[in-house]
Structures are given as C-alpha cells and as structure tokens.
Amino acid sequence: MSSATTRLLACKAAALSSAMLTRRKSSSQPGGGETGGGTAGSRGESGGSKVARRARESIVAITEMINLDPNSMKKKKASELLEWSTWRDILRFACLCSMLSCCLHTPQTLSRWPPLHFFILTTDFVVTAIFTIDAIAIMRHQGNWQSSNLIGDRWARFDLFMLAMHYLSVGLHLLELFALFWPEAGVKYEPYYGIIRSPRPFVMIRFIRSVLQFKLPKNRIKQIIKRSSQQIQNVTIFFTFFMALYAIMGVQLFGRMDYHCVLPGTDPKNVTIKDLAIPDTMCSQKGEVIQAGGYECPDTMQCVKLDMTAHAEGFYGMFNDFVHSLFTVYMAASQEGWVYVLYDCLDTFPSWVCFLYFVTLIFFLAWLVKNVFIAVITETFAEVRVQFNEIWQTREATAEEDFSMKLEKTSSGWRLIEVDDYVLHGRSPKIFHWIVTSTLYQTTMMILVLFNATFHATFVYRHDGTDQHRRSIYYFVEVGFTILFNVETIMKIVGHSWRTYWKRGNDFLSKKLFAEIKVFRIVRLIKASPMLEDFIYKIFGPGKKLGGLVIFTMMLLIVTSAISLQLFCWVPTLNKFTTFPQAFMSMFQIITQEGWTDVVVEILRTTHENFVPFVAIYFVGYHLLVTLIVLSLFVAVILDNLEMDEELKKIKQLKAREQNTVRTTLPWRLRIFDHFPTRPQMISFKRMTSEFPCPKIRHSFTRCFAEDDEATFVEESGVRENGRLLLRQGTISRKQNEMRIRHIGQLSSKNIISNLIDDSNRSRALLSDSTQFIAQFTRSGTMKGGQHRSRNRGLVSSLKGKHILESLKENGDCRNDDVAPKERKEGDIDIKALQQKRAHAEITRNRIEEEMRENHPMFDRPLFAVGRESRLRQFCRAIVYAKYTPNRTDPTTGKAIQIKYKQLHELFGLMTYLDWTMVIMTSLSCCSMLFESPWPSGGENLIFNNVYLQIADYFFVLAMTVELLVKILADGMFFTPKAVVRDVGGIMTIFIYMTSLIYLAWMPRHVEINSPAQLLMIFRAMRPLRIYTLVPHIRRVVVELCRGFKEILLVTILLVVLMFIFASFGVQIAGGKLAACNDPSILIRENCSGVFEQRLFVTRMEVHGKNDDEAHPKILVPRVWTNPRNFNFDHIGFAMLALFETLSYKGWNVVRDILYLRQGPWAVLYLHVYVFMGCMIGLTLFVGVVIANYTENRGTALLTVDQRRWHDLKARLKMAQPLHVPPKPSESAKIRSRLYELTLSKAFKQSFFFLVMINSTTLFIPWALEEEKERARALFGLTVLSAVCCVLFTIEILLKAVAFTPNGFWQSRRNRGDCLITLLGLAWILLHFVLKVPVDFTTNFKSREWRRFTYTFGYLVVILRFFTIAGRKSTLKMLMLTVLMSMVRSLFIIAAMFLLVLFYANTGVILFGMVKYGQAVSKHVNFRNGRQALVVLFRSVTGEDWNDIMHDCMRSPPFCFWTEGVNYWQTDCGNYFGAIVYFCSFYLIITYIVLNLLVAIIMENFSLFYSSEEDALLSYADIRNFQQVWNIVDREQKRSIPIRRVKFLLRLLKGRLEVDPHKDRLLFKHMCHEMSRLHNGEDVSFHDVLNMLSYRSVDIRKSLQLEELLHREELEYLIEEEVAKYTIRTWLESCLKRIKSKQKNTAASSSEQTMLGPTLAIHRASTVGLPKATSSTLISRVSPDTQSSSLLSAANRTQSMESSDDEGATAAESRRSSRACRRGSIPELVGEAKKFMLGVGKRRSEDRGNNNSAHATSNNNNNSNPNLTARDRRTAMRNFQIKTCELPELEESSLGEDSPSYDRRHSYDQQLMANSNTLDLAAASLSSISVDPVPSSGTSPLEWKVIDQSPDVNTWWSEIAGSS
C-alpha cells in the first residue's frame, strides 16, 4: 500500500472519530437536552442550537473530506493558495474596475474627455494582468489548459472567455489610439468595432460569484434551477402559443394596412409630408364589401395604397406577414401603444372585427397568460425560500443584549416592555430620561411633526414674484422647526445616552438622523399608528429578501445598460445610448414599459435591415425578462413576507370558524322592540286527551309564574380536560350552596308550573329528534347537580326514552362501552364543540326571535299591517322565493336525475325567478342608457327629448316598484328579520329606486354644470350597480373586497405618505422653476410675447419633409410663459397629482425630460428613485396585498402546506376524466390491432403534431386577393400545402375510425372535433379548387367574391386546426385548463368589473360628453355616448395615456366656451375637480384592485399545474395510471362499473395507488367495503373510486380541514367496525359449522338433527354472504349418502316454517329486526357457542363410553338441566382446546359475478337485520348437536379440533369476549 493511500485512510479515520466526538459533545451539552427549565433552559437551548449547528457544519466538511481521493487532496491543498482574502478582494476590485472602464468607453464620452483614453487603457491593462495571473495560478495547480477538469468546469470556461474578451478589448483600444494619433499610417478604426466589448459587462457575474456563497448542495441547487427553468419554459411556450395564434389571426384579418387619405395625384412610392392628411389617417376604399365600415376620406382627398418600407412605417402596427404580426402582437400585449394600432384598424376594417380581436388579445395575453408568469415565479420563489431559509435568517445565536423586549413585573402583572425605552443607562439625567419617555412628550412631538408637514404643504409658488415675502416667512418657520427637532434630538441623546440612542435607531423608521430632514419628518407619523407600523415591518422587516432583490435588479440594469451601450453607441443618428447615463435611462424606461415601444422603434429605424430581427429579439427578450420575471419577483417577495406561519394558519382557521357562527343577538334594527312593553296574546286551553302530549307552553309568558333559578347555559373561557386547555364549551353554572326552602303558597305554585313546563318539554322532545341527547350523555363532565342526575334517571326510566336511546347507539346507550376512549393528542381540536357552539347559537337566535313573536304582536309584520300568516303575505312569499331547482330526484326510486349541461341548469337556479326578471329589466334599461348622448348640441338624444328612451325607464321603474312591493309585503321593509333594507345592498337598492323615480317624475330639461339636476343624473347612472344586490356571486365578490379593505387602506396610506414625501421634495427643488415659453427659442420671460409658427404633428411614418422646417405644416400660435401642460410642482396638490400619474408609469418620461432640461441630472435622479420605490415596490405591494386578502377571505391562504396540496389534489381529481380510448381489439383482428397500436404510438402522435405546425405555417402570409398580385406563386403553393395536410388529416381520421371502430372513435370529444375540422377542410378543398373552374367563367365580380369567400373559409379552417395543438401536448393542455378554469372562476369578477365600468361610462357621458378635442380627446377618444365611453374606459384600464385624457377633460373656462345658465350639452367644457376624482378613483379601483383579483385567481388555479413527483400527493403519472386501468375495467365506456369489478381494478393499480391484497389485506377490505356502502351496493363511478383512493393515500390528519377530517374519521371508523364485525361473525359461523359437520351420529333419531346443521349452514352462508367455497365446504363435510336427504329435509322444513308464520310471529320479527343492528350479531353467536361448549363438555365428562344415542340423550338432558354448577361448566371448558387460525379475507366472502344483482347489492347492516331470525334459529339448533371428542385424522390446519384437556381455553374465551 502506498504512503498516499495510507495517509488518506488515516485522514478518513481521524475525520470519522472527530465527527463522532463532536456528536457526543453536542448531545451532552447542558441545556441541549429535553430537560431543563427556566432561563437556564432557554440559554441552554440557544447554546445547544449553536453546538448542533457547528456539529452539522463539521460533519458536512468531514463528509467532503472522506469523499476525496489523493489527487483531490492535492488540489485542495493547492487551491488554498488562491484562498487568500486579500487576493479575493483584489479580484473583486478588478471586476468593478473592468465594468467602469467598459461603461466609460464610448465615442461621445471620449470626445468630451480625451484623457480618459489613457485611464481606460491603464485600467484594462491592470485588470487583464490580474485576471491572467489568476488564470495561470488556477491552471498551474489544476493542470494545463488541456486538463479535463479545467475544460469541463463551466465557470472556468467562462473565466477564460472573459479573459479573452479583455485581451481583445485592450488590443482594440491600442488600434483605436494608433489610428487616432498616427493617421498617416493608414490604419482605419471603425466605431462599430466596439461591439467586441459588449460581452465584457458579464464580468459582474464573477463579482457576484465571489460575494455570494450558497450553502446548499450543488445537486439540490441544480434540481431547483432545473425545475423552475422547466416551469418557466413551459409557460413561455404557452405564451408563445397564444402569441402565434393572434399573430396568425392578425395576418389573415388585417393583412397589409397601406391605405391612407392623401391628396389627389400623390405618388404612392414617393409620399411627402404635404400629401398626407393632418393627422395622417388610414381609410377604407369606397365600394369594397369586406372593408365596409371603415373611415372614408373626405371628398377633397382619396384613399390610396402607399408603397412604403418597414423602416418608413415603423414596424409597429404591421400585419404584412407572420414576423411583423408577431412583433406587433407582443408589443400590444405589453399594453403600450396598442390603441393606436386599434384606431388604424378601425379606420380600415369593420369595427366589430377590430374590437373583438384587440379586446380578446388584451384579456388573454395581457391579463391572463402573462399573469401566469407571476404564478410561476411565486411558486418557484416559495420553493427556493424553503431551501434557502438558512440564508435569509440569521445564523448566529441571538445574544442577550440583542433582545429588544423583556419581561418586567408591574402593578398589573407581568408585561413585555421594550428594553431601551424604560431602562436608564449610563450617567443620563433622570429628569431628561423621564421627559423623553413620557407619553405627553411623544404625543406633543407627533403633533408638531404633523403641524410641520401641514404647514410645509400650504406653500404655493407664484410666477409673478408676489410670493417672495411669503417665501421668507416660510423659511424662518422651517428654521424654527429644524431647531426644535434638533433640540429634541439632543434631549434624547442626553436622556438615553448616545449608545442607547443610536441602537434604538437601527430600525429605518425610527432612525433619528434620517428623521431630522424636514421632508422625511412625516415618516415619524407612521409610529403613531401601531397597526401601520406593524404592517410596514411585516412587509419590509425581512430586509434581506427585498434588499437582495433590489440589488439584483440594479445589477441587472447596470449590466444590460453597459451591453446596450457597447452595441449601439456607434450609431450616429441614435441618441439613446451615447453615454452610460442615457443608456441606463433607456433601459430603465423599458422596465417601466412607458413609451418603450417608441424607444425600440427608434432603435430599429436606425438599424440596418439585415440586423433588425436580431435587435428586435434582443429588446423583446430583455423586456420579457424584466417585466415578466424580475417584476414578478417583487410580487413573490411581498407575498412571501405576507405568508403566515403554519401554526398561525391553524389558529386563524379556528378563529374564522368561530366567527362564522350564528350571532346570538338580534341586529340593532330588531332590538327596538325591547324598548316597548310586552303584549303577549292570550289563548285558551281546552281539555285534551292524555294520549297526546301537552302543546308547547310559551316560555316568555310562563316563566314569570315559574321559578327563575333554573340552570342556565353560560360560556366559560375554557375547560381543562386531561391537563390541556380545550375550546370554550357550553357548561352549566349553578349555585353550589343554595338554601333549601319549603314551597308554600305562591312558591308552591311556581314549582308546580315549572314542573309542568319541564314535563311538557321533555315529552315533546322524546317524540322529536333524539340526537339532542347525544351531547348530554356523551359529555357527562359538563353537567353538575343532583337535579340533572334525577332528570336523567327519569328520562332513562321512561319507556319512550328507552326506545329512543336504544336507537342512538349500538348497545342501547349513548357511549361506546366496547371502545376505549381516544386520547386527545397535543394540538387536537374539538370540532364537535365548534359544531355544538354553532348549533347552540342558532338555537339561541331562533329562541329570541320566537320570544319576540310571542311578546310583540307587531314583530315580523310587514309595514306593521300585514299579518304574519296572512294569505297576501304567503302569496307574496311564494312569488319572491319561487326558484328553479336544478337537482331533481326520481319520486319513485329517490335517486338523483342526471341532466345534461348541469352548469347551465345551476346557473339558472342561482337566483329566484323574480331576481332573474329584475336582472333582465335592469340590463335592458342599461342598454337603453348607452344610447343617450348629449351630442349633437341640441340634445336630441337625451332621454327627456326622446320618447323611445323613456320607454325603458318607465318599464324599469314599474318593474322595480312591483318587485319592492312584493318583497316588502313578503319580508317587510325595515323592522323584520328578513327585511328588504337590512344591509348596504338594501340601502343601495332603495337609493337607486328613489333616484330613478324622482328623475322620471321630474325629468329636468335645464341642466347646468355642477347643478343638482346633473348630480341627480349621476345618481341615476348608478343603475347598473343594482345587479350587485341581485346576483349573489357578484355580491360575494364585493364582500370579499370589503373584508380586505383594512390592508388595502394601509397600502394606500403608505403610498400617500410616500407621495407626500417626494412631493414635498419636488416642491423644494422644482417649485416655480418649470415654467417656460412655449416657443423653444425664447429663454427669457420678457421676450415671450407675440406669435410664432408651431409645427403640427402629422404622422409617425418616416416620409420626405418630416424633418424639414420649411416643408412641415405649421400654424401661428401666441407665445405664452406657462408651466408644462400636464404637471407642475408649484404646490403640494399639483405635485401629488403629478406623482400619482407617475405612480401608474404614465407620463413619467415626459416629467423626466422636462426636469432634465430645466433642473439638470440631479432632478432626474430624484424622479428615478421615486419611480423605482413607488412603482416597482409600491404597486407590487398593492398586487401582493390584494392577492393575499383574496386568498385569505376564500380560506386558501389559511391552509397549511399539506392542506393546500390536498386542496389542489381535489381540484386536480375533479378535472380528471376517464380516457375515451376503446379497448384493444381481439387478437383475431390483426389489422385492427396493428392500426390500434399505430394510432396510439408516440411517433404517430408526434408526426401529426408537426403536421399541424406545418399546416399552420401556411398562414404566414395573408390569404387575400391583394396578395395574388404580389405573391401569387407563394400563395398558391401555401394553399396547395394546406390541402395536402387536410388530406393527411383525413387519413388519420380513417385510421382511427378503423382501429377504434366508429362508435369508439366518436366517444372522444377531441376526435369529434378533429373529424368536424377535417370535414370542413375537405369542403374547403372542394370549394377552392374544384368549383373554382366554373366560377371563373362567370363575371369578374362574382369570381373575386368567390375567391375572397374561399380564402376566408380556408384560413378559418386552418386556425381551428391550430387550436388542436393544445390537445396534442399535455403541457399546453394543462395550462389551457388553468386559463379556462380561471376564466370560469373569474366570470363574476369580470361581470362586477364590467358593471362598474358601465356606471363610470354613463357618468362620463354626463360629465365630459361635450369636451372639445385636444391632445388626447379625438374622434376615437371621447364621451359622446356610452359606447364610445366604454372604449375609452377600457383603454384607461390598460393604462394607455389615461392621464392625458384626464387633463383634456379638466378643461375649464377661459379655455372653453361657457356662459352663465347654459346647459351642459351646449358647452365644450369639462369638469376640473370632477375629472380628477373620476379618473383617479376609476384607475385606483379597477386597475389596482379589481384586475389584481385576476392575478389571484390565476395563482390559485396555477398550483394545480405546478406540481411535481416530489411534492404532489398524487402526481399526473398516478392519475394517468388510474385512467388507463379504469379504461381496461370499464369496457363499455359507461363511466361506472359494478361493485364486483372494484377488486379487479384495485389489483391492477401501480405506483402510489397500488394496494397489495396480501400485504395490505385489511386496507383492501376497507376499500372494498367503502365502495360497497357508498351507493348501497350499486355501480360506482370513476370519481367515486378515485376519491376513495385519494383519501386512502394521504395522511388525513395533516391534509384535511376540521369539518372534513371529522366526517372522514367517522366514516373510516364505521367502515373499520363493520368490516371487523362482519369478518368475526363469518369466522365464528364457519367454525361452528365445521364442528357440526364432523358429528357422526348413526342413530335414526339423531340423523335428522345431524343433517339439519349443514343445511342451515348452507342457508346461513348464502344469506349472510359467505362465499361459495365456504358453503361447498360445509356440504362436503356431510356424508354423500345423507347430503341429498338433508337438503330435502331442509327444504321441507323451510317451507313448513314459512307456511306456519302467523301475525304474532310477523310482529315479533319486525320488532326484532327494527332493533337489530351490528351489536347483536357477535354477542349472540358467542353466547350460543358458549352454551354449546358447556353442554358438550358436560356430556363428555359423564358419558365418555356410551354410544351415540346416549350422547344425544345426555346432550338434551344437560341443556335442559338448570342446576348445572359453575364448577361443572369450568370443567367442561377445560376439556376443549380450539386451535387458532387466521380470519378469512373479505374477498373470500363475496358473491360471484354470476349471482343475481339483488344478492350482491345490499349493505351488511340490512343483511344482518333481514336475517336476524335465521341467525337465532341456527344458534338455537346448536344446543342439540353433539360433538365428536376425537378429532379426525384428515383435518386441515384451519379446522377446529376438540381435544380433551385445553389449558388455553380461558385465553381464547377472553379474546373472543374482548373482541365482541
């Protein structure tokens, strides 16, 4: 053995020894064990955790050492040379210097500062030298460059590549300097050579690697990355699928949109700026049928198709081919600039096509599919967070001085107090410490902070110089406040000492130096609200995650900015990337998505056409990365911070269930009756017969005459049971020491009345539901006192009570005596207590209402006039509550009737008929309101001038009048339990009705702006919100939103505080400094006068003369010195409005550019910081809070990890359906079998999947007549290829039809869809190719129309075929199901959002219907009618320039026409304050709240898709396995199988669902029995078996919630009990029959009795359910010569017994069967067996030598002898020994498949009850059977043997008795 190997083994041995020693020391550490108490225990716990952590780290290190070989040890020793900390710092510094030099190396930067050449070159030389030394050192110690270890390491290859880039950069820089200083040498240097430096910014990856150190195993990291990347890849494919779909649709629907309105005589190939309309407008050709509905040019212009390049058109908005359409679709999906493409399409094509295309594009791509990325990132981050939990949390043990709170005993008890707030440290004066810690001082300072912020916000800048004096005043006041707060700081430093003061400032919110800056003093007010402070700490407290994400985002921005800088800094006409700050601002703008399309289009226009695709891919990839992944990380981090602990979730679940209990008190509107005197109505009693119970005596009346010291139920805080605190339960409080008095006189009367009341209630309760006694008798610990014990005895002694209690439990009592009480585990929850509490609350509430009805005649009387039980009220109630019932049952069989389209039936049964009628009437009225319009200015389309519009209003008011009248007569108006006005919805209903009625009665014809009449019209516009109160699901959405109002309000307050801080800062730096002259050439205000020529915006296209001042159209405009149009910082209000607009990412780039021009780069930095903090963190905070509140209100956020998985599993199982694949053909049909295997093979499916892709590529160019002129051959070739694909799809359909048979093929919905599409494709081939020839001989017009029709029909077929891709790929299918399920679940949310938008649309028509055109308001963007308003608001929901529309609608005099007393439709003004409130509230509610609910729903549904084999309870592979097995068993494809096939199905399962009948025998029995009792032995469905398997495959105590867990545990307990009792009963009967079959009696008198035993055994076996094997065994035990006679005798005996039944026997049998249950079977059998054994034992001891007849006589005498002593019985028992045997399996006792259905389909309970008499007869006959004392020689091991002396009979008998 070599020395190296010896040293290695010694090292391993030493490592193992040290590891064992470390573990021993850690286990023996004091405080580390389980024992210990007090503070020492806590310290020991922390010390033990530290030791354990060191032990784990040492073990990990030792494990790495053990796994090394000698070569690796050399490398380990050599690598230590490079682990020098100073060298690592040098490498990090080199990476930063390399990044700095790369950012500075641009042509414009070097032209401004030429000396930077030498600085950059020197830096690159040094950095390259450092990296070279590092690479040489690594290669020297790991081998040369050809070493496999060096080449195989990815990071090593990356470092070598970066080193090569640095060498190339240095050489390129030397070449540039040589060409610059020695131009005569002829060496040329081109600026675009700098592209070689573009990979250099990736050197920051090396810097990050050296800083971050991941402590997880590499395999685990790789697994996480692989899984998350796979999920992101799947979602990206799904997103690409939708993009390709809409790109293809865009190509075919719109194609080339090149028609523009130009002047006559314009050259289409050479268009100038003067030839276009102002502004440039697309058009539709006159006379074109397909383009009818677009914009037609005026008579002075004509619609001409222009011939322009893609560079000139600008790339965006083009649908010429698939590539351009894909680029347009992606940019439109980003919700930026999409409306301009929509408006171009509206000018060219019919409006309905354009709206349908773009609205669905935004909904699916922007709102649904893109939000799936948030779900992916959130789920991935949650998994990474679990794995990296040690990184986020502090690894060091918490020292004692690090605690911020401690326990201190006060006068009120022990309290947790802050350490530094109440402890005096050092030499601080006590008086100062007392002052600064007093509440008065802190409150005073908070008031001063608030006053300072308010005073600071009141300053207004004037541009006329009148505010100079006020500025000085405000300056001195601010100086005074600053001095005051500085004094406060000094006092706190003196009072707390400097160390304590600084330590208390570790928190960001309480940092005193930070708070002294006056604009940030408002932050101190956050500490005034503990709720807000806790919320902020909850979000931003774990700063490592959010801080790390911010650093990551900034690093990504810096790296991508540097890369883009080197790629585009050489472009001469592009000014976006000339310097690093400009590149950074451009890349940051792309993250915010504001105007990013303009940036990209500008870059593409300056790029050569050969490089346009690569540049577009670069920027689209960057946008996809930062917007869909990076920004989603912010949402993931915030949601992770809002995530609750597992134990807290359980507590919240309990609290939620307690809150859901019924309130025991009446609402305040019903408590008014308590203030009125009681007036009970008296009734007279007549004498009644004693056969009927006394009627209920009114408690509220009779208690005044009875004793009032009876027991009352109260709720205590908690009850101790077994030393643990359980939930609050209802207990009985009673006076312990009460005085006994004699009942005389009135007291005697009260006692008598009390007893009468109790007897009446008791007798009535006995005849009612008996389940109310369960709680009283099962929880005896809750009752105290002798009266209750006597009452219980009286109840039990009652005959009726006995019958009732016998039916409660098995053995006649209320508790299971044969079952040991279950010990309550730690953390268990008494669910029954919750249910009883809920039931008790409901009973209390009903009792209070009942007493109200008894004591107050006006209670529950509508309008105090209609009687409670009057016919009018009953009739109105019948109308109000008439409702469609979708779930119907068969009156004969009682089974549920299966109906088709169940979802539609449930939707129709969602509301009553009256509510459906009102929904329809309200919808018609809202549709009528959409046609109301103030345009034209005459008001012809207003309701008071249009009779047709008034009809809908009259019908609505009339219908609502009838509805309210009927509901009020049925349920009352206000003071009734179910009143119409009982909540906010009822108030809103009355408000809508009153406003509609008043307006209809008034109908004002003169309506001014801001008048009461206009306000009444706005109230009338709330009519769509009436549907909120009618549809319960929409009302539920609103309730869920309102429940989370507190957190949303906190986020709003936080954002307002943030805006206030930055607005105050903005007022200081930019207030009064942004005003300028609208003429850019004028810089001084005194010169800003007169007029100048202003250029007009004409087009976005690049045409000749666009940049020429002479050729560009202009108008004369007066010069004005004013602020920017949309924003200013002159006072706090304008500043906060500007920042609110910026908070939505809208217009912030305009603010940035103006601040840069007026205030310089520092103002731009201020704005970028606000956008990053407010938008990226604030808005994502809004998203996270809305999602968290939604999930918490639905209960999903309170689910633990296991419960969440179970919740997802149930939804996944609900989606699973049986396979629609017919069974494989028989082997005789060889052709069909081969075709069957072919069609199901993977290659066959993959080939046709690619065929669908090929067929879809035929739509890459438009199928239109215009393309025949330019690309006729390409179009013809693509149509032919599509026809060939259609023929191949036809062959696929034929092959499947032959393989599956036509019926089997038609069972699958996908096959039906494919068949339909194929038939349509064949029809298209016939129309386009075959019938084209005769049509061409007709007129040219008909031929063109025919070809247009065939092209349209053809591409529709191909688009339908493209949809089938989702069904052919499982990943796309699951994601499609996720989106579809999200659509279904969000249907009511979308409906609620649409109704709210409809209200805003009607209000917008009233407020801004006549606003004149401006910068944003135009022919496409206006509020002229409700339809146009809906389009504008839908645009505003996407955030598309909503702030520009708001500023146009804010126009007020003198910038518009308005005179005193004019109607609002006769002016072109808007509403200044109304526009601000209108648009800001709309954007806040819809965009920030409602749209985020869609994200929440998608995240909730996406968890169904995001599952793996590791964490899913049942994976997709397991479900697929079950589907395949089900497909084998369910041959008829009926979706249900007989109960006898369940065992066969369970045996075929594999994987997690596998059940071995031999190893898991008991579980197998339980499963079969559960399926048998589910539908009473009838057929079970696919989901029945799958749900049963899912319950059996999980830990129900961890996965199930409380109520479901209780129900499941009870079900499994019943199944376990029934299976056990049935198995034991079967075993006992078979044993007794085997004993009886061995008797050999030759006497003639006893032969008949001997043959009767096997006959009864056969009868019992067939009745009870024994298998055929058992019954045949019993028959075989009888001799062949007596078997036929015994069967004949048994048949005759059975017939005689049936004929001799009389009425008394029938009654006795019915009584016995009614009381028979599972408890009677086993004890009776055991008792009969005991008597039988005693008789045989006695007979054997007395007459051992007698013959068989003597044995029979002795047997009869012993059975009839009542004087048999206990000693004799014990002696007889000792003579028996029964051999133990295994219990028979359940499957052996099942009936065969050929048995009739009525023998198979019955439950065991019914079987026992039906055969109780037979069991009694069989048991009674056992006493007359003799037993052979000598066992036969051929007995099997499972047979009973009767042996003379048995020492184990007592043990056997105790086991039998215990099991019973």
Side-chain angles (χ1 to χ4, degrees), residues 1561-1818:
R1561 186 169 48 190
L1562 188 60
L1563 177 62
F1564 189 83
K1565 294 178 182 179
H1566 291 172
M1567 288 182 174
C1568 296
H1569 184 71
E1570 182 176 354
M1571 289 291 95
S1572 177
R1573 78 190 305 273
L1574 182 61
H1575 297 295
N1576 200 14
E1578 296 184 354
D1579 296 348
V1580 292
S1581 65
F1582 174 86
H1583 288 95
D1584 292 337
V1585 183
L1586 189 57
N1587 291 332
M1588 181 271 296
L1589 291 172
S1590 64
Y1591 277 109
R1592 296 288 181 177
S1593 62
V1594 300
D1595 186 0
I1596 60 174
R1597 298 196 63 83
K1598 293 182 178 180
S1599 301
L1600 273 62
Q1601 297 187 58
L1602 301 181
E1603 287 84 357
E1604 187 180 7
L1605 176 61
L1606 176 65
H1607 176 73
R1608 184 64 193 177
E1609 283 185 339
E1610 290 179 352
L1611 177 62
E1612 290 187 359
Y1613 175 76
L1614 291 176
I1615 293 173
E1616 181 181 357
E1617 185 182 20
E1618 291 173 1
V1619 170
K1621 291 187 177 183
Y1622 177 74
T1623 306
I1624 295 174
R1625 182 178 64 251
T1626 307
W1627 175 69
L1628 287 175
E1629 291 177 359
S1630 62
C1631 291
L1632 293 175
K1633 297 312 180 229
R1634 287 171 184 173
I1635 294 173
K1636 194 173 181 180
S1637 64
K1638 293 180 181 180
Q1639 307 305 316
K1640 298 179 180 180
N1641 192 354
T1642 58
S1645 59
S1646 60
S1647 62
E1648 182 177 358
Q1649 296 179 358
T1650 305
M1651 291 183 293
L1652 180 60
T1655 306
L1656 287 176
I1658 298 170
H1659 181 68
R1660 290 276 305 280
S1662 61
T1663 307
V1664 177
L1666 291 176
K1668 292 181 178 180
T1670 306
S1671 59
S1672 61
T1673 303
L1674 295 176
I1675 297 174
S1676 63
R1677 300 293 175 89
V1678 187
S1679 58
D1681 55 346
T1682 61
Q1683 185 173 0
S1684 59
S1685 61
S1686 63
L1687 292 174
L1688 181 60
S1689 176
N1692 296 332
R1693 185 179 299 273
T1694 303
Q1695 183 177 4
S1696 63
M1697 288 171 61
E1698 293 177 354
S1699 61
S1700 62
D1701 287 340
D1702 54 358
E1703 294 181 359
T1706 304
E1709 181 182 359
S1710 62
R1711 287 194 300 269
R1712 190 183 301 111
S1713 61
S1714 63
R1715 293 182 312 194
C1717 55
R1718 294 185 305 274
R1719 72 181 191 279
S1721 58
I1722 296 176
E1724 290 176 3
L1725 288 175
V1726 172
E1728 296 294 337
K1730 182 178 179 181
K1731 290 190 296 184
F1732 171 74
M1733 293 172 187
L1734 289 175
V1736 173
K1738 184 67 176 177
R1739 185 171 63 252
R1740 285 178 52 83
S1741 61
E1742 293 180 355
D1743 302 319
R1744 179 179 296 272
N1746 297 335
N1747 54 11
N1748 293 335
S1749 61
H1751 281 298
T1753 306
S1754 176
N1755 187 16
N1756 294 330
N1757 294 331
N1758 288 331
N1759 288 334
S1760 61
N1761 185 12
N1763 299 322
L1764 189 62
T1765 62
R1767 182 176 181 180
D1768 296 336
R1769 294 191 184 96
R1770 287 194 296 269
T1771 303
M1773 290 294 295
R1774 294 193 189 100
N1775 295 329
F1776 292 92
Q1777 181 179 4
I1778 302 176
K1779 186 175 181 179
T1780 58
C1781 59
E1782 295 184 356
L1783 296 179
E1785 296 185 5
L1786 182 64
E1787 57 182 283
E1788 296 176 359
S1789 62
S1790 61
L1791 297 179
E1793 295 186 0
D1794 54 350
S1795 60
S1797 60
Y1798 57 82
D1799 289 336
R1800 296 194 311 268
R1801 300 178 180 178
H1802 61 278
S1803 64
Y1804 298 126
D1805 294 340
Q1806 294 176 354
Q1807 186 179 10
L1808 293 175
M1809 294 174 64
N1811 301 311
S1812 58
N1813 290 333
T1814 307
L1815 293 175
D1816 294 339
L1817 291 175

Side-chain angles (χ1 to χ4, degrees), residues 563-663:
I563 294 174
S564 303
L565 178 69
Q566 298 300 327
L567 288 176
F568 305 105
C569 64
W570 55 272
V571 180
T573 58
L574 183 64
N575 59 357
K576 298 288 185 183
F577 298 95
T578 55
T579 60
F580 179 77
Q582 291 177 339
F584 184 85
M585 288 190 295
S586 299
M587 303 305 286
F588 184 80
Q589 183 177 351
I590 294 177
I591 286 185
T592 62
Q593 304 187 66
E594 173 60 16
W596 82 278
T597 56
D598 298 333
V599 175
V600 174
V601 167
E602 183 178 354
I603 297 172
L604 293 179
R605 279 178 170 172
T606 57
T607 306
H608 193 270
E609 59 183 7
N610 295 333
F611 298 100
V612 166
F614 302 101
V615 176
I617 292 173
Y618 172 76
F619 282 102
V620 167
Y622 170 73
H623 181 268
L624 186 68
L625 173 67
V626 296
T627 57
L628 298 184
I629 297 179
V630 175
L631 294 184
S632 299
L633 282 174
F634 282 93
V635 181
V637 169
I638 291 174
L639 286 176
D640 186 71
N641 291 339
L642 293 173
E643 185 74 15
M644 291 179 289
D645 188 68
E646 297 295 314
E647 297 299 328
L648 182 60
K649 288 180 179 179
K650 296 180 180 180
I651 296 174
K652 288 261 188 180
Q653 289 181 18
L654 284 178
K655 291 184 65 177
R657 280 162 177 80
E658 289 183 358
Q659 291 175 359
N660 291 333
T661 56
V662 182
R663 296 178 55 185

Side-chain angles (χ1 to χ4, degrees), residues 1373-1409:
K1373 183 178 180 181
M1374 291 306 303
L1375 284 172
M1376 187 69 73
L1377 288 176
T1378 301
V1379 173
L1380 292 178
M1381 185 175 294
S1382 302
M1383 287 180 56
V1384 173
R1385 293 189 177 182
S1386 61
L1387 178 63
F1388 293 101
I1389 295 179
I1390 297 172
M1393 183 179 70
F1394 176 76
L1395 293 174
L1396 189 60
V1397 170
L1398 192 60
F1399 158 66
Y1400 272 94
N1402 296 330
T1403 305
V1405 172
I1406 299 171
L1407 292 176
F1408 320 114

Side-chain angles (χ1 to χ4, degrees), residues 1077-1079 1081-1082 1087-1093 1117-1121:
C1077 187
N1078 57 348
D1079 188 357
S1081 61
I1082 304 299
N1087 298 333
C1088 187
S1089 60
V1091 296
F1092 74 103
E1093 290 184 344
V1117 177
R1119 293 189 179 95
V1120 179
W1121 187 273

Side-chain angles (χ1 to χ4, degrees), residues 1244 1248 1251 1281-1295 1318 1322 1361:
F1244 184 84
F1248 278 95
L1251 187 62
L1281 179 60
S1282 179
V1284 172
C1285 293
C1286 186
V1287 174
L1288 294 178
F1289 288 127
T1290 306
I1291 296 175
E1292 177 197 14
I1293 296 298
L1294 294 177
L1295 291 177
T1318 304
L1322 295 176
R1361 179 72 65 181

